[in-house]
Amino acid sequence: MKYYIILYILKKEYKIDIECKFWLTEGRLPWMDMQDFHRDTWVEVNLDDIHDNVASMKQMLPSEVKMFAVVKANAYGHGDYEVASTALKAGADFLAVAFLDEALALRGKGITAPILVLGVSKPDRAGIAADAHIALTVFSVDWLEQAKKYLKNDQNLHVHVKIDSGMGRIGVRSKVDLMKIDRWLANEASFSFGGIFTHFATADQLDMTYFRKQLDTFKAMLSSLKKLPEIVHASNSAAALRFTEPLFNAVRFGISMYGLSPSPEIKPILPYALKEAFSLKTEIVYLKKLSLGDCVSYGATYTAQGDEWIATLPIGYADGWIRKLQGQEVIVAGEKAPIIGRICMDQCMIKLSKPVPIGTEVILIGKSQGLSISVDDIATKLDTINYEIPCMIASRVPRVYIQNNQVSHVRNPLLNKI
Ligand SMILES: Cc1ncc(COP(=O)(O)O)c(C=O)c1O
């Protein structure tokens, strides 16, 4: 163990290249000794950064404005429980998820804060939601009448009414329908009309025309209610970061909690620096020298132009590192190296300028020795949005959590470390 620590410090802190056979024969890097996973690929989620992103947003908001931390999709791939508890510690008031199972999963892990399900739930699940103190999104009297049948006398279901002000996804589209819901809820003891909300389709675009139109529509809908419910919310990250006017009394903070800009367009005008919390790392598991004409991977599409050092990485498309990432660079030993040949299901190959030891750390997303590959870089390469990137990294890639600048624990669903 002493050797491990000395070698680790030499390798990591002083960047001294040492023979790494020890790693292979005797085990993993010291901080992974906890045996929560045995593969050489992992995600690191920096909870300190998530804490700071939430705290900065909270500081910007007027004190009466509450914050939902949006932790759907396993907290955009970062880990639902860890992000939820970090966000709540940093000042978030409520949580929001996409569907009931995500909310129940958080309850199962001990989260007691109010949770709102943003998507559509089946009316026959009303009793389950009420029992777990989970609020559901509703937008029709018909749904409410159905749901009522599934609530026992002593049960009370909190609902937030969704207004479709222009997103065209779900929600009430007319004042008449909204007033019907309002009247119906006013007479029902088994339902609490806890909130009303809408969602902006273009808050992350510099052109504000459509955003203003949606805001006007939402305000007009609100004006048809005799009394507003306790919570009125509309802003996602983009709107909350950019505008003070449509905050109402709560915001729903998603992508920027994870340190990512809602769009490249508004990145230069964000009010504070976001801290990107997600890194993806692996290690070189095999190294070989190819000669002129040797080929690499399926289809034999890559051919060596001479003597070349080719390393194998244990990550592939089943990990979410999809085939379109061929050509993308990674960071290894202080240099960038391209992925060459087709990406396989569990492995891919990179071309190095010089040989490096087996076990050398490789950064696919993150920072090392002054070099960086951001989530945005991967999104650009894939011609998509940054939201998709952490979401697409599969659950078979363990999540290692960093808290107070050190590894706190690991989540690995494959070994039931969840
Ligand atoms: C209804 C709703 N509210 C809030 C959010 C959070 O948005 P963002 O991640 O852009 O902050 C989302 C995300 O998709 C959403 O669907």
Side-chain angles (χ1 to χ4, degrees):
M1 188 65 188
K2 246 191 254 159
Y3 282 110
Y4 276 3
I5 293 167
I6 294 161
L7 287 170
Y8 177 74
I9 291 168
L10 288 172
K11 185 170 137 71
K12 286 281 199 196
E13 301 304 324
Y14 296 99
K15 315 292 177 223
I16 293 174
D17 247 355
I18 35 169
E19 179 55 62
C20 280
K21 273 184 199 139
F22 287 104
W23 312 127
L24 275 181
T25 53
E26 296 201 34
R28 307 181 58 82
L29 300 178
W31 61 264
M32 292 179 195
D33 269 358
M34 47 188 109
Q35 298 294 308
D36 286 326
F37 65 100
H38 306 279
R39 70 177 298 193
D40 301 307
T41 297
W42 68 98
V43 161
E44 273 175 31
V45 177
N46 191 317
L47 296 174
D48 301 330
D49 290 346
I50 291 177
H51 185 282
D52 291 354
N53 293 327
V54 173
S56 301
M57 185 70 226
K58 211 40 200 176
Q59 222 171 1
M60 251 186 61
L61 292 171
S63 58
E64 70 279 10
V65 175
K66 306 275 189 209
M67 184 200 283
F68 285 88
V70 182
V71 293
K72 59 189 178 145
N74 194 28
Y76 295 35
H78 293 66
D80 59 355
Y81 174 78
E82 281 73 12
V83 173
S85 41
T86 302
L88 291 166
K89 263 187 234 143
D93 303 276
F94 320 121
L95 303 170
V97 295
F99 49 85
L100 186 55
D101 287 355
E102 291 185 332
L104 292 169
L106 285 168
R107 285 282 181 265
K109 292 170 186 171
I111 297 285
T112 55
I115 306 178
L116 170 65
V117 172
L118 295 167
V120 179
S121 305
K122 285 200 168 19
D124 62 2
R125 306 302 200 272
I128 297 169
D131 270 350
H133 301 286
I134 292 162
L136 298 184
T137 290
V138 302
F139 44 91
S140 87
V141 169
D142 188 43
W143 188 98
L144 289 163
E145 279 170 351
Q146 290 290 323
K148 190 181 164 187
K149 295 182 203 156
Y150 295 92
L151 289 173
K152 293 183 213 99
N153 285 343
D154 59 338
Q155 282 185 311
N156 185 272
L157 180 68
H158 275 246
V159 294
H160 286 221
V161 174
K162 177 80 184 271
I163 306 297
D164 181 5
S165 59
M167 177 71 185
R169 200 162 59 175
I170 55 171
V172 186
R173 291 176 65 89
S174 78
K175 283 185 181 180
V176 175
D177 288 346
L178 177 60
M179 285 188 293
K180 274 191 211 160
I181 293 172
D182 191 26
R183 275 197 299 272
W184 194 93
L185 285 170
N187 297 319
E188 286 298 333
S190 44
F191 289 84
S192 296
F193 185 5
I196 188 161
F197 71 111
T198 195
H199 190 51
F200 294 119
T202 63
D204 62 342
Q205 293 174 14
L206 291 178
D207 182 345
M208 284 158 59
T209 320
Y210 196 76
F211 170 79
R212 288 215 176 91
K213 199 168 151 223
Q214 272 197 268
L215 184 57
D216 289 346
T217 305
F218 185 52
K219 283 183 174 169
M221 295 286 264
L222 294 181
S223 70
S224 68
L225 296 176
K226 283 206 193 80
K227 183 172 169 277
L228 289 177
E230 193 183 332
I231 307 168
V232 181
H233 47 115
S235 295
N236 51 7
S237 295
L241 286 163
R242 291 176 72 195
F243 314 119
T244 47
E245 200 243 329
L247 292 172
F248 301 102
N249 62 11
V251 301
R252 298 188 306 276
F253 200 45
I255 193 74
S256 298
M257 176 166 61
Y258 307 100
L260 302 172
S261 172
S263 70
E265 241 178 293
I266 66 161
K267 209 170 174 174
I269 58 164
L270 293 175
Y272 56 86
L274 295 168
K275 297 183 175 177
E276 199 167 314
F278 189 96
S279 315
L280 178 61
K281 301 183 176 180
T282 189
E283 289 176 6
I284 289 177
V285 290
Y286 184 55
L287 180 73
K288 60 185 172 286
K289 193 179 187 184
L290 294 191
S291 306
L292 177 71
D294 287 346
C295 293
V296 174
S297 196
Y298 289 116
T301 56
Y302 180 83
T303 308
Q305 300 303 303
D307 285 355
E308 290 181 9
W309 287 103
I310 303 296
T312 302
L313 307 181
I315 182 167
Y317 61 78
D319 296 303
W321 201 247
I322 60 175
R323 281 165 51 120
K324 284 209 176 88
L325 285 164
Q326 182 177 336
Q328 171 61 37
E329 289 180 320
V330 301
I331 304 171
V332 51
E335 286 181 8
K336 290 204 175 171
I339 296 171
I340 49 105
R342 290 190 184 148
I343 293 176
C344 312
M345 187 182 285
D346 320 292
Q347 302 174 77
C348 63
M349 276 60 79
I350 56 172
K351 180 178 160 183
L352 299 174
S353 65
K354 56 181 185 297
V356 298
I358 301 293
T360 300
E361 187 173 271
V362 176
I363 314 285
L364 299 116
I365 299 174
K367 292 185 182 137
S368 174
Q369 298 179 46
L371 297 173
S372 143
I373 296 171
S374 65
V375 171
D376 282 354
D377 291 336
I378 304 300
T380 304
K381 166 79 182 167
L382 293 177
D383 199 17
T384 185
I385 53 171
N386 52 17
Y387 294 65
E388 231 183 315
I389 308 306
C391 286
M392 79 185 196
I393 301 305
S395 64
R396 77 176 197 162
V397 182
R399 266 57 173 175
V400 174
Y401 291 96
I402 313 291
Q403 208 162 14
N404 303 322
N405 286 318
Q406 58 189 26
V407 173
S408 67
H409 64 286
V410 173
R411 294 267 174 216
N412 182 11
L414 277 179
L415 299 184
N416 289 326
K417 309 274 182 201
I418 51 173

